[in-house]
Amino acid sequence: MRLASAFIYFNIVYVAGLICFLILFYFNIQIILLTNLIIILSITLLIIKLAYWYSIRKSLQSIDIINKQKSYLLRLALCIFTYISPIYCIIQEPYLVVNHYVSAITFTIVTVLAIIGMFIERWLFFMESQHIDNLYNENNAI
């Protein structure tokens, strides 16, 4: 439980960093430390999330094929929305030949997608935990 709450706090720091980066980018203020923090935190959180999914794969083996496919699709969307898209936009921004306003709109969309990805993660977590509770209750039924 302690690790789950720590992961939630890291996600909150990550989203707060993205929002601060968006606001500072809109006003054309560049803070390299914040940029590096977001990149390192995103990579670290992605690795931790993949390790967590690897560790719980045995308990989710009894899910039917439709729910398993939905779970994998949601996990892919979560990874792309939350961790990969913001890093890609931050790294590629200096090389883009677009107006600053267009880049600000792009970062706004990416930040909103990252927040949506966090909600997908919470929904997926509750869906998987309900499934594990149902399996536990079925095995202990008399």
Side-chain angles (χ1 to χ4, degrees):
M1 184 67 180
R2 192 177 293 178
L3 293 175
S5 63
F7 190 74
I8 291 171
Y9 291 136
F10 281 128
N11 278 332
I12 291 171
V13 168
Y14 175 66
V15 170
L18 282 175
I19 292 170
C20 289
F21 182 82
L22 174 67
I23 292 168
L24 293 174
F25 182 79
Y26 181 76
F27 292 115
N28 210 6
I29 301 170
Q30 292 184 346
I31 298 178
I32 302 298
L33 182 65
L34 181 62
T35 304
N36 292 337
L37 174 77
I38 290 172
I39 292 171
I40 291 169
L41 198 57
S42 178
I43 292 170
T44 305
L45 288 172
L46 179 62
I47 291 170
I48 292 171
K49 181 55 70 179
L50 292 175
Y52 169 72
W53 286 336
Y54 183 77
S55 70
I56 66 165
R57 76 185 187 288
K58 297 229 183 213
S59 63
L60 299 176
Q61 298 241 340
S62 62
I63 298 178
D64 60 343
I65 192 70
I66 294 172
N67 284 337
K68 193 177 283 191
Q69 288 176 350
K70 187 189 298 185
S71 175
Y72 288 144
L73 181 65
L74 287 174
R75 288 178 181 184
L76 178 67
L78 164 72
C79 288
I80 290 173
F81 286 170
T82 306
Y83 303 117
I84 297 172
S85 295
I87 292 177
Y88 180 76
C89 286
I90 289 172
I91 291 174
Q92 290 297 320
E93 190 272 327
Y95 306 109
L96 295 176
V97 184
V98 294
N99 189 3
H100 181 74
Y101 182 70
V102 173
S103 292
I105 291 174
T106 304
F107 280 129
T108 304
I109 292 170
V110 166
T111 303
V112 168
L113 286 177
I115 294 170
I116 289 171
M118 294 290 173
F119 286 123
I120 290 172
E121 178 183 7
R122 290 287 95 199
W123 183 74
L124 186 62
F125 175 75
F126 289 127
M127 185 177 75
E128 290 171 351
S129 66
Q130 284 177 351
H131 176 71
I132 292 172
D133 286 344
N134 290 340
L135 286 177
Y136 179 75
N137 291 336
E138 287 175 7
N139 289 337
N140 289 335
I142 298 177

